[in-house]
Amino acid sequence: MKKSRIVAVLLCLCLLASQALGEGFGGLTMWGEDVTDLAITVTSVDRTRSLNGAEAPAQSVYVIVNAHIQNMGTVTCQLKESVRATLTWQGQYVYEATVEYRREQVEMLVETEGVFTFCLPEIAAMAPEAELALSFDVDGTPQDKPFTFSAAAVPGVVRPAFEYSGRHTDGLDIALDAPQFADEYNGERDDAYRWLVIPVRLINWGKAPVTLAEEQLKVTLTYLGRYGIAGSLALEAETLDPLHTASGVAVFKTPMVVATAEEDQLGMLVSVREQQWQPEFSLTAVPAPVTALMPVPDPEGLTGVKGILNRTGYVLNGKTYTVYQYTKARDVAAFVADYTALATANGYRVSDVKISELPALSLVRSDGLTALVFYDYSGAMLLMVEDGLDKAVLTLEQKEEMSVAADPVTEGEALPEVRQMLSLKVGDIFTFGHYEQDNDLFQSDEPVDWLVLEVDEENHKALLISRYGLDAKLYNATETNVTWETCTLRSWLNREFLNEAFSAEEQQAILTTAVDNSNSQG
Amino acid sequence: MKKTWIVWLLAALLAYGACACAEGGQVTLLPDQEAAGVFECTLGDMTLSAERNGMTKDQHKWLYLDMSLMNWTVEDKPLAQTVSAVLTWQGNYKFQAEIVCDRTVIQPLVSATGKLVFELPDIVCQADEETLTLTLTADGQQTVAPFRCPADEGGQIVASGFTYAARHGDAGDVLPLKAVLLENYEGETDEAYRWIEVSFNVFNWSEKAYAPTDIKMVLTYLNRYGFEGTVTYDFETLAPLTCGSGRALYRVPLAVVNGQTGSLGLKIGAGEQTWDEAITLTEDEGV
C-alpha cells in the first residue's frame, strides 16, 4: 500500500507537469509498474427497513453504505470484479454487500460513487457501532483499517435484547423473562398444582439455520437443587435463521410444594444439546425502571404552546400513529436538545432520523412503542405518537427537579454542572452558554468557548475569558464623561448579553462580583 | 358437518405440532443427584364413629384416621398400590383399611390428604394396645405400632362378655346368661313337670359369617342326667367377632327343679369343643 501512495503522489506531480505542457487528460499515462489503488471513502451510512419500496426480510435491516471511490492506481479498475465490501459484527458474523456503482469501471484518477447494501439481522444491524466493522478489499488486498461508523436508528425497530458477550452457546440460546404463576392453564386445573408460565426468547447464535425440534432444547425448574421439573415449550417458530429470534412460553406444571417454595430453593436449568447452564431466575419480576414506561413528552412543556390533533390512525412502516401539530419552536436546535433530554429522562432511546428527507427525532420506548417528532415540518412541528403510547406535558424544569430528586444535592454544595466546571484547570477550554458567532442568523446560536484563566478551588470559583471575540460594542453609546459604573457597555453586558447568552440555570452559575467603579478604573 | 369437524381436528393437531417442542411437567432427579426422597405417609387425628355416610352397622364402628401424603420420589405413585394399612387384633384378626383420597395417583412432589377408614367390630374397638397393632405400609416401607381406638363418638358398644382369652373354640362360642324356672309354657301345665328357659349369647370367633347349626346345649342334672331342649336364635348368621342371642327351653321333671343347688348345669358343644357351664335357676318374675 505504501508503494501505491507514493505512486499516487508521483501521479499528481505528473498531472501537474502534463497540464503545464498542455496535454489532454485523455492521454494520461503512467510509467513504471501497474498499480491498483482505489481510495474508498465512506460518505454516509443509513439503516432502513425498506429499500426501493421492498421490505427487508423478517427481522432484518438494510445497512446502506454510500462511498466515494477514486482510482489512485495506474490501471483501469473494473469495480464489480475488484471491490469486495464486508460488514462484520462482533468479528464473527460477516455479511457481503450487494453493490451498485455509478460507473462500472474507473480509469486512472477517475472517481465515482458506490452504494454498498448489506442485509443484516436486526441484532447486528442495530448493534453499537463499536461492534461493527466495515471493510473493503480490492483485488484481494484488504484496506488498512476497518471502518467503524455511526448511523441513525431505524424507527420501529427494537434491537433484540440479547448480548453476544453473554451468550451461553454458539448455537441456540434462550432468555427467560418475568415468570408468573397461574392456578389454571389451558383449562386444566388441579388443586395440587400451579402453573409457572415464563415468556421465553430464543436466538440462534449459529451461522446456519436450526430446526428447533432437533436442538433438544430443555428448560427445567429445579427445586432444592435436587429435583427438576421439565417445562413445556411452546414456540412461535419451527426453525431459526442465524441471529434471528423467536419468542414463546415455557410452562411448568409445578406441585404446590414447589409453587410455594422459598425463592432460594428454586432455580432454572437450560440445556441445548450437550450444553447446560443455569440462567438467573427470580420469581419476583424485576420491577421496570420508573422511567421505562413513561409517556412521550409533550412539546408544549418546552414551547408553552398547545398542540392540536391533526389526525388519528396514520400508518407508517406498519405502525399506527396519532398525529399532533404544533407551532415550530423559535429556537429549533435548543428545542431538539431539550426535548432529547426530556425523552431520554423518560426512558426513550432518542436518535436523529430522516424520513422522506425530513429531519426528525425517533423515540423508542423500552417496550418497542415509538414516537416521532418532525421538528421542522413546513414551518410547523408534528408529534406522531404510536397507538398505545400516551403523551404528557413535562417541562424541562420538571425534568431537572426529577433528576435533582434522584440525586439529591446537599445545601451549599455546587450543582453537578458547576462541579464539572470546577474540575477544569487553567488553560482548559470550557463551553458555557450560546451566542451568535457565525453570522448565520437562520441557524441557532453557537456554543461559547471559554478559556480558563484562574481556578480558585477553595472557593469554587473560576475566572474565564471567551476564547473568541463575541461582539463589538461601544464603551458608551454617547460621547460623554462616564465611568464603568454607568457606561452602556456594562449595562449591555449585564442585561442583553447575559440573557441572550446564558439560560436561567447558567446565569445562576455566574457569580456576582464586587467591582471597583471609581474614576480611576476608567 | 362431520367432515368439517375432522378437518378442524386435524388443523388443531397440526397447530399444536408446529409450536410444541417438548413435553413438560415431568419431574426428574437432577443429573448430579443420586437418590430422590421417599414417599411419606403421616397419620394424624383419628375418630371412631358409629356411622358412615349416614349408615350404621350392628356391632360395628368406623375408625377414621387422617392421613397426609407427600411423594418425594420422582415416580407417579398409584395410591392403591402404594399405601396400605392393616389393624391386627390378637395377632389373628386383620382389618384392611379403605383409603379415601381425592387423588388416585400421587405424582412426584405432590402432597395430598386423605383418610384411612377401618370398619371394626365393637370388640376390636374396645381392644387395648397389647392386643391391637397397626401396620402401615407406604411405598414398601412398613411400620408396625401398638394401637388403641379412641373413645366412641356416639353409638354404644355392646358389652357381650366374651373374651378372646377365654373363648371356647375358634368359631361359635356360647355364654349362658340366665336360667328361669317356668310353671307352664305357652298354656301347657303338668304338675309333674316344670320348664326351664335358658337365655344365652353366641359369639362368632371365626373370620367368616357363622350360622350356629352345630351348637348343642344339654341341660344336665347331678351331672348324670341330660335333657335335650328346644333352642331358638334371634339371628340367622353372625358376622365375625359379633354377638347374637338365643334361648333354650327344657321340660324337666319336678324333682330336677327341686334338687340341691348346683345340681343343674349345661353341657355345651360347639363344633368339636365341649364344655360345662353351671346355671342357677331364678323364679319367673312374670310379665
Side-chain angles (χ1 to χ4, degrees), chain B residues 56-121:
Chain B
T56 59
K57 188 173 179 182
D58 186 38
Q59 298 175 59
H60 285 81
K61 302 285 180 294
W62 282 275
L63 174 67
Y64 297 93
L65 275 96
D66 291 342
M67 171 183 68
S68 297
L69 306 169
M70 179 67 213
N71 182 7
W72 290 106
T73 75
V74 291
E75 296 155 3
D76 285 357
K77 297 292 181 185
L79 203 51
Q81 283 91 62
T82 306
V83 176
S84 65
V86 176
L87 268 176
T88 305
W89 183 57
Q90 295 290 358
N92 286 322
Y93 302 93
K94 295 184 186 303
F95 301 90
Q96 186 82 36
E98 181 189 340
I99 296 170
V100 179
C101 183
D102 288 341
R103 309 187 76 81
T104 55
V105 176
I106 310 295
Q107 291 86 352
L109 301 183
V110 165
S111 61
T113 56
K115 286 184 188 299
L116 296 175
V117 183
F118 295 92
E119 181 184 325
L120 300 175

Side-chain angles (χ1 to χ4, degrees), chain A residues 190 193 226-228 230 235 255 257, chain B residues 19 25-26 28 35 72 103 107:
Chain A
D190 187 331
Y193 289 93
R226 190 177 196 185
Y227 298 97
L235 305 169
V257 69
Chain B
C19 63
Q26 188 186 353
T28 55
W72 290 106
R103 309 187 76 81
Q107 291 86 352

Side-chain angles (χ1 to χ4, degrees), chain A residues 48-56 62 64 317:
Chain A
T48 179
R49 283 280 294 185
S50 58
L51 185 64
N52 300 328
E55 284 287 312
Y62 290 116
I64 301 164
N317 290 333

Side-chain angles (χ1 to χ4, degrees), chain A residues 396-429:
Chain A
L396 200 58
E397 287 73 22
Q398 284 172 300
K399 180 244 166 184
E400 294 291 338
E401 286 166 14
M402 286 163 56
S403 64
V404 169
D407 181 17
V409 179
T410 53
E411 195 176 351
E413 189 179 353
L415 289 170
E417 295 86 343
V418 182
R419 277 204 297 269
Q420 180 193 352
M421 186 174 81
L422 293 179
S423 67
L424 297 172
K425 301 184 301 292
V426 172
D428 284 350
I429 301 294

